[in-house]
């Protein structure tokens, strides 16, 4: 069994924060990868080439299959990454795979082959957030996880905010083929060097590695696992549903120009950058058992704003409430990894987050396709039906957060204290 031997230092060293910033960039690149097809399905040349023009369900499946691969890998491959590779080597392997699958995607000869490559790309990205969560717990003291969780998770909003304008620019100037080649270059030229240079472990880990299966079994024993899973499903459902259909909604339902769509698609995620950091700041100032309060506030605000979108007559009011909805959604971001770090058994944090993130992605992967079906069936009010589904996800987050608030507090520092005699017995 692995026994972590720790070299705790007062405060977080600069090297730990450089690793957090590198992770932020890697997460951002991964999210530019993910939103790529959200823009490409608005391009007639792309949809006609693969025979999916006018087929909303097939277009939604491009994201759904990506998320299915991501979820399976996050759940089943992460314990192996945690046991064998560790954070740094695991990230290097993942980035190399991202680059490969993105590079060959424009040369797929059919929609079936493209869907297969999307599944494989998702699988190669599956362990990312578990590795990120492991890095934060390994390099920062308990009670100081909120801000590094928030900063590294800001890559979600940054990548989504940059992704739509960057892919739109590539689409206009280089065609849809060029967007895939640009993403492969980002993985190779930016992602790999950042991880190689800056992602290091502050703690020293020695002793025999614990088998992956045992880590997975430990993850299954995480207290409140079902409720944290429900929150993850709802949070990711909102993310995937909104990012998959936002460009189409702005262009086709609200009749914004391509330039306006590009800017308005980025703004919700720019706003969530700031709200995500605010969420991390609040978490570090709340008692551990009160962390779900951030989820309560965020879910109520997001649900109200998403509901307003469905009734708004003015396209500018709809755009403004979409931006505000993402501000409330972003507030919730740092809470989930913090809950996993609090509740997961020692030595199984990465596997626990992989299980939660994997199942969360597998279930939430259905939402882009369900929204596509709702949009197609709803006629003139199709997009309103789609956004009503997004509002419903936040009611699930609210339910899970209230249950966590009313339950027993996580073990918290008791767990860390229990590890200290082992760490001193070197």
């Amino acid at each position: 069994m692995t026994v972590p031997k720790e070299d705790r230092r007062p405060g977080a060293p600069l090297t730990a924060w450089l690793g957090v910033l590198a992770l932020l960039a890697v997460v951002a690149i991964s999210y530019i990868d993910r939103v790529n097809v959200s823009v490409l399905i608005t391009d007639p040349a792309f949809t006609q080439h693969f025979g999916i023009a006018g087929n909303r369900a097939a277009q939604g499946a491009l994201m759904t299959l990506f998320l299915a691969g991501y979820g399976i890998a996050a759940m089943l491959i992460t314990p192996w990454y945690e046991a064998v590779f560790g954070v740094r080597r695991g990230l290097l392997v993942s980035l190399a795979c991202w680059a490969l699958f993105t590079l060959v995607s424009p040369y797929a000869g059919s929609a079936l082959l493209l869907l297969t490559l999307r599944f494989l790309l998702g699988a190669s990205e599956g362990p990312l957030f578990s590795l990120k969560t492991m890095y934060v717990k390994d390099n920062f003291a308990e009670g100081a996880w909120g801000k590094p969780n928030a900063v590294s998770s800001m890559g979600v909003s940054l990548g989504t905010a940059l992704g739509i304008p960057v892919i739109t620019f590539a689409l206009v100037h280089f065609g849809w083929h060029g967007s895939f080649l640009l993403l492969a270059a980002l993985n190779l030229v930016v992602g790999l060097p950042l991880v190689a240079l800056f992602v290091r472990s502050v703690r020293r880990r020695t002793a025999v590695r614990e088998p992956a299966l045992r880590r997975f079994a430990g993850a299954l024993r995480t207290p409140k696992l079902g409720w944290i899973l429900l929150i993850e499903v709802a949070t990711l459902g909102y993310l995937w549903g909104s990012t998959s259909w936002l460009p189409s909604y702005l262009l086709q339902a609200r009749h914004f120009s391509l330039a306006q769509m590009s800017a308005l698609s980025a703004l919700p995620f720019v706003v969530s950058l700031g709200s995500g950091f605010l969420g991390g700041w609040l978490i570090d100032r709340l008692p551990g058992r009160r962390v779900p309060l951030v989820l309560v506030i965020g879910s109520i605000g997001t649900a109200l704003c998403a509901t307003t979108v469905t009734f708004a007559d003015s396209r500018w009011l709809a755009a403004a409430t979409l931006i505000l909805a993402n501000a409330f959604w972003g507030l919730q971001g740092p809470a989930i990894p913090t809950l996993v770090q609090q509740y997961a058994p020692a030595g199984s944090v990465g596997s626990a987050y992989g299980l939660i993130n994997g199942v969360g992605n597998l279930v939430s992967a259905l939402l882009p396709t369900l929204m596509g079906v709702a949009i197609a069936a709803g006629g003139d009010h199709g997009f309103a039906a789609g956004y009503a589904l997004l509002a419903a996800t936040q009611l699930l987050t609210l339910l899970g957060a209230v249950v966590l608030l009313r339950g027993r507090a996580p073990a918290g520092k008791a767990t860390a204290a229990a590890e200290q005699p082992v760490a001193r017995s070197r």
Side-chain angles (χ1 to χ4, degrees):
M1 176 177 176
T2 300
V3 179
K5 293 190 176 183
E6 306 177 13
D7 202 7
R8 290 187 178 272
R9 305 176 185 181
L14 176 61
T15 53
W17 276 106
L18 288 175
V20 169
L21 294 176
L23 288 169
L24 184 157
V26 170
V27 171
I29 292 169
S30 77
Y31 271 78
I32 297 175
D33 269 348
R34 299 178 200 201
V35 303
N36 185 28
V37 296
S38 301
V39 177
L40 293 186
I41 61 174
T42 68
D43 178 34
F46 174 79
T47 56
Q48 289 169 12
H49 178 83
F50 288 106
I52 57 173
N55 189 337
R56 295 294 193 188
Q59 293 169 14
L62 288 171
M63 180 62 80
T64 295
L65 277 177
F66 171 94
L67 295 175
Y70 182 101
I72 292 169
M75 184 169 51
L76 300 180
I77 296 178
T78 295
W80 184 65
Y81 267 49
E82 186 176 23
V84 176
F85 286 150
V87 175
R88 183 171 179 270
R89 285 189 294 170
L91 287 170
L92 291 173
V93 170
S94 292
L95 279 160
C97 291
W98 305 356
L100 174 64
F101 294 130
T102 307
L103 184 64
V104 301
S105 289
Y107 306 106
S110 65
L112 180 61
L113 184 54
L114 179 64
L115 288 168
T116 302
L117 288 170
R118 290 290 295 173
F119 178 87
L120 292 174
L121 178 63
S124 66
E125 293 191 13
L128 171 59
F129 274 78
S130 300
L131 296 172
K132 179 183 81 69
T133 304
M134 286 168 57
Y135 179 86
V136 171
K137 184 163 186 180
D138 283 353
N139 289 276
F140 293 84
E142 184 177 2
W145 294 330
K147 287 191 288 295
N149 280 333
V151 171
S152 56
S153 295
M154 283 163 66
V156 175
S157 297
L158 182 63
T160 311
L162 291 175
I164 293 176
V166 166
I167 299 304
T168 302
F169 176 85
L171 181 62
V172 170
H173 291 87
F174 310 115
W176 62 267
H177 291 82
S179 71
F180 285 106
L181 301 180
L182 174 63
L183 291 173
L186 279 175
N187 287 311
L188 290 172
V189 177
V190 180
L192 280 170
L194 283 176
V195 171
L197 289 171
F198 298 116
V199 175
R200 295 281 189 267
S201 181
V202 173
R203 294 185 185 182
R204 296 196 301 271
R205 289 182 176 268
T206 58
V208 181
R209 289 190 177 111
E210 187 174 1
L213 188 59
R214 189 174 297 173
R215 291 175 184 269
F216 186 74
L220 290 172
R221 294 194 297 270
T222 300
K224 308 293 185 183
L225 178 62
W227 293 109
I228 301 173
L229 263 173
L230 179 67
I231 293 169
E232 179 81 340
V233 168
T235 302
L236 291 174
Y238 184 89
L239 174 64
W240 301 136
S242 62
T243 54
S244 296
W245 291 106
L246 181 58
S248 298
Y249 172 71
L250 293 173
L251 283 173
Q252 297 165 10
R254 293 299 181 174
H255 308 295
F256 286 103
S257 69
L258 187 64
Q260 289 171 329
M261 179 277 289
S262 179
L264 289 172
S265 295
L267 278 175
F269 300 99
V270 171
V271 170
S272 64
L273 282 170
S275 64
F277 186 80
L278 176 61
W281 181 86
L282 289 171
I283 286 168
D284 282 346
R285 279 153 182 77
L286 287 170
R289 65 171 301 161
R290 298 298 180 191
V291 167
L293 275 175
V294 175
L295 294 167
V296 170
I297 296 168
S299 61
I300 291 173
T302 308
L304 290 175
C305 292
T307 302
T308 303
V309 170
T310 66
F311 295 107
D313 291 327
S314 165
R315 64 177 185 167
W316 291 105
L317 176 60
T321 50
L322 279 172
I323 293 168
L324 188 57
N326 260 54
F328 283 108
W329 176 83
L331 190 72
Q332 306 172 53
I336 297 173
T338 303
L339 288 170
V340 175
Q341 288 156 346
Q342 288 178 339
Y343 281 103
S348 296
V349 171
S351 298
Y353 195 85
L355 175 64
I356 290 166
N357 193 238
V359 175
N361 275 283
L362 282 172
V363 178
S364 64
L366 297 173
L367 199 60
T369 300
L370 290 175
M371 286 185 68
V373 172
I375 291 166
D380 293 340
H381 303 287
F383 277 100
Y387 274 88
L389 287 176
L390 292 182
T393 65
Q394 297 305 289
L395 299 180
L396 295 177
T397 298
L398 179 60
L399 172 63
V402 169
V403 171
L404 290 177
L405 277 173
R406 293 172 61 87
R408 290 182 61 186
K413 291 185 169 114
T415 302
E419 294 176 4
Q420 290 304 310
V422 175
R424 287 195 295 267
S425 63
R426 290 182 285 178

